[in-house]
Amino acid sequence: MTEFLLSPFTDFAFMRRALAGCLALALGATPVGVFLLLRRMSLMGDAMSHAILPGAALGYLAFGLSLGAMTIGGIVAGIVVVLAAGLVTRASVLKEDASLAAFYLLSLAAGVMIVSLRGRNLDLLHVLFGSVLALDDGSLLLIASIASVTLFCLAILFRPLVMECFDPAFLRGISRWSPVAHYGFLMLVVLNLVSGFHALGTLMAVGIMILPAAAARLWARGLPALLLLAVLFAFGSGVAGLLLSFHADVPAGPAIVLVCGLVYFVSLLAAPGGLLAGRLPVRRHLES
Amino acid sequence: MHPAPPPFIRIENLTLGYDRHPAVHHLSGDIPAGALVAVIGPNGAGKSTLLKGLAGELRPIGGRIVMPGLPPGALAYLPQRGEIDHSFPVSVFDVVAMGLWREVGAFGGLSRTQRQRVRDALAAVGMSGFEARPIGSLSGGQLQRARFARLMLQDAPLILLDEPFAAIDSRTVDDLVQLILGWHREGRTVLTVVHDLEQVRRHFPTCLLLSREPVAFGPTAQVLTPDMLARARRLSEAFDDDAPECHIELPPTAVSPTDEHAHHHNHASHRH
């Protein structure tokens, strides 16, 4: 059993790198996913992953498979989209979902246009689906740095961000932190999607953000417990997914996301906030 | 006699509205420090709009509001429909503690005294024992009590309440009115939108009757007359999409409460 669980990591350097990458993603991307979920913007991660694609593709087409160019391209494209969408949300009658949809679709269309100009779709599969088993030093460092920056920024933004999610009108009334929390958070989303696309690809980076958060939400009632549980779920799924990928010889990214999905389904069945809770026999009620 | 204290809020020929249509039309007046004002009027009279304007959430489309003595952020505003997300996993204690923002800011921790003040505020609104409950589990009245507790901790010299008693049972209303009277005794300036005129007669010394146009502003007994109320009803005319532009230019001097009536007549004779 130990052999089965540990030897892939003790014997192979690429598995250790992948493990470190998963830990960093769980620590950085998953807390961001929890706040996305609480803001009812779960699908925004998906939208944003499309929005960063043209930037990454542009970097890729201009400089080849260069980590720096693709990362910077992705971050720039993502930040342009969230800033534009944030501005429209705050200053017009459109809500956050509508303004984001408009800008990410434009960004996606621009991306497809760029790709078709150079027409090397096959290589782009790497961008779309990532490769957690092929993380080089540069990628790993990038993912770890983004996770550190994310934790640091979340610590600074925590109170304003909670208030911005819970009662934005109140925060606007008493302080100037509201835009800082809003834009700061959107930028963290972009950073973590970029970090995720190195490991899992743009499309599946959202999986490790949202699925553990959704599973944890079914169990936890308080925010600290929710964050902690989501991170544990994400890292646990990462480890299990890597082992599954190693032993069953399947791609690692989808394996990790599918294990996240398994945790989610189990939570749906077993958790107090899940499907069955309302159908169990009623327990004796309390006195008050 | 002391000279009269300078006005705490000076409203100068203020017009507030949406899409150029006025919801509060050419309102002027001084509100002295420590006043307890009931803002009344029919639905659509611009009461909430006035409070939004005072809270700085709505830019005037004419005239201005001056609050010389009020430091920034020292205003507590309770909107009618808050944007509270009831499913958010935070406890009643955390929500009420948000009222301490001006003291603790984004990073400060709560001291032992501050924690005690949060519990005291909850006790003052009759919500002891609810500290750990998730905010989503509260009833409408309990939530309103919790919002009042948060407001208390904001310790603001100016408090704006937009229909704080809507859909609240009479016992809770009585408790909340006592809190408001307490704030008045502490010398805070309070403006409250109220619909129950009995309530106003009993507790509020000053009254501002709006019906898009200012109808009357002054001691409650002089405002709540059948005459004035009938005028307010007549004035609440329909929203006219093709209303012509308004070209009334009043001198931007504040009208004292007693002149308000005259101002209205003056204004009405100018009207299109």
Side-chain angles (χ1 to χ4, degrees):
Chain A
M1 193 65 187
T2 347
E3 178 88 344
F4 181 81
L5 292 177
L6 287 184
S7 63
F9 299 113
T10 51
D11 294 352
F12 297 98
F14 74 91
M15 286 293 282
R16 283 196 295 277
R17 285 168 189 280
L19 188 68
C22 282
L23 179 60
L25 276 182
L27 286 172
T30 308
V32 170
V34 168
F35 280 101
L36 273 180
L37 181 92
L38 291 175
R39 283 184 75 94
R40 301 175 197 191
M41 298 296 294
S42 304
L43 291 175
M44 174 202 159
D46 199 36
M48 284 310 303
S49 68
H50 292 83
I52 63 176
L53 181 63
L58 205 60
Y60 172 64
L61 290 176
F63 299 98
L65 202 59
S66 139
L67 176 74
M70 279 165 52
T71 304
I72 291 169
I75 291 176
V76 168
I79 284 178
V80 166
V81 168
V82 291
L83 286 186
L87 188 72
V88 170
T89 308
R90 298 185 77 87
S92 82
V93 296
L94 288 179
K95 301 273 186 235
E96 198 165 21
D97 56 339
S99 55
L100 255 174
F103 284 103
Y104 102 76
L105 287 168
L106 287 177
S107 188
L108 181 63
V112 172
M113 187 87 91
I114 291 163
V115 170
S116 75
L117 285 180
R118 297 287 294 268
R120 284 193 294 180
N121 290 336
L122 269 185
D123 299 337
L124 217 60
L125 273 180
H126 177 80
V127 179
L128 282 172
F129 294 109
S131 49
V132 69
L133 295 182
L135 290 179
D136 56 18
D137 282 344
S139 309
L140 197 55
L141 208 61
L142 179 82
I143 294 175
S145 312
I146 288 181
S148 311
V149 169
T150 303
L151 284 181
F152 183 71
C153 290
L154 274 183
I156 290 181
L157 286 179
F158 190 79
R159 187 176 289 165
L161 183 58
V162 167
M163 287 167 75
E164 170 73 14
C165 298
F166 169 69
D167 193 352
F170 181 73
L171 184 63
R172 277 199 308 275
I174 55 167
S175 81
R176 296 167 192 278
W177 271 90
S178 171
V180 180
H182 187 185
Y183 288 118
F185 173 66
L186 290 177
M187 292 206 193
L188 286 181
V189 173
V190 170
L191 277 180
N192 280 283
L193 282 169
V194 171
S195 151
F197 89 64
H198 283 291
L200 302 173
T202 47
L203 299 181
M204 264 173 293
V206 189
I208 206 162
M209 274 187 165
I210 298 299
L211 281 170
R217 183 75 186 94
L218 294 166
W219 293 97
R221 289 179 82 179
L223 192 51
L226 173 57
L227 286 165
L228 188 68
L229 202 58
V231 168
L232 289 178
F233 281 165
F235 184 55
S237 307
V239 175
L242 285 176
L243 286 171
L244 178 68
S245 144
F246 182 85
H247 291 295
D249 197 20
V250 291
I256 292 172
V257 176
L258 283 175
V259 175
C260 289
L262 187 69
V263 174
Y264 172 66
F265 281 119
V266 170
S267 304
L268 265 185
L269 289 180
L275 296 174
L276 291 184
R279 294 165 200 274
L280 293 177
V282 181
R283 284 165 68 198
R284 222 171 206 342
H285 60 259
L286 305 175
E287 260 184 15
S288 74
Chain B
M1 268 299 275
H2 293 286
F8 190 58
I9 306 175
R10 165 158 284 184
I11 299 171
E12 294 177 355
N13 192 18
L14 175 72
T15 298
L16 294 164
Y18 308 94
D19 296 332
R20 295 178 74 204
H21 290 282
V24 172
H25 205 187
H26 296 296
L27 173 68
S28 294
D30 287 350
I31 296 171
L36 173 57
V37 183
V39 182
I40 56 172
N43 283 329
K47 307 180 295 294
S48 299
T49 307
L50 175 62
L51 258 56
K52 256 189 227 168
L54 289 170
E57 296 212 336
L58 193 65
R59 195 164 54 122
I61 53 181
R64 61 186 194 140
I65 303 165
V66 196
M67 298 191 250
L70 193 75
L75 171 158
Y77 168 51
L78 193 75
Q80 186 179 356
R81 280 188 301 259
E83 293 176 20
I84 286 183
D85 175 1
H86 297 268
S87 65
F88 200 89
V90 331
S91 68
V92 172
F93 182 95
D94 290 342
V95 173
V96 174
M98 288 175 187
L100 291 170
W101 175 279
R102 267 214 298 158
E103 294 168 39
V104 298
F107 310 115
L110 295 183
S111 66
R112 186 187 296 266
T113 1
Q114 283 166 331
R115 292 183 168 276
Q116 190 52 46
R117 277 168 59 207
V118 173
R119 279 189 288 271
D120 291 346
L122 273 167
V125 298
M127 293 269 292
S128 283
F130 281 81
E131 286 84 352
R133 288 270 291 272
I135 196 74
S137 72
L138 298 189
S139 72
Q142 290 167 337
L143 183 66
Q144 193 69 335
R145 285 170 187 263
R147 291 172 86 203
F148 264 68
R150 179 169 76 175
L151 201 76
M152 285 170 71
L153 289 179
Q154 284 181 258
D155 193 21
L158 172 60
I159 298 174
L160 308 171
L161 306 168
D162 194 354
E163 291 200 32
F165 310 137
I168 302 288
D169 72 14
S170 61
R171 209 187 112 210
T172 305
V173 170
D174 290 343
D175 289 355
L176 297 183
V177 165
Q178 289 312 313
L179 286 172
I180 293 175
L181 295 177
W183 296 334
H184 179 52
R185 281 192 296 275
E186 288 166 10
R188 302 178 203 274
T189 311
V190 185
L191 272 81
T192 308
V193 175
V194 198
H195 272 298
D196 181 351
L197 297 184
E198 258 328 290
Q199 198 80 257
V200 177
R201 283 204 182 86
R202 241 181 306 146
H203 300 297
F204 291 80
T206 315
C207 220
L208 169 61
L209 176 56
L210 283 180
S211 186
R212 196 165 325 160
E213 316 292 335
V215 178
F217 178 39
T220 299
Q222 293 171 28
V223 173
L224 287 186
T225 59
D227 249 17
M228 295 287 184
L229 293 173
R231 194 201 313 278
R233 269 195 298 278
R234 269 204 309 280
L235 275 170
S236 59
E237 65 230 285
F239 185 88
D240 181 358
D241 248 338
D242 305 315
E245 282 186 4
C246 172
H247 288 293
I248 302 163
E249 298 297 342
L250 288 180
T253 50
V255 184
S256 73
T258 37
D259 295 341
E260 190 67 34
H261 196 175
H263 154 72
H264 172 74
H265 273 305
N266 187 13
H267 183 195
S269 61
H270 278 279
R271 229 177 114 73
H272 355 285

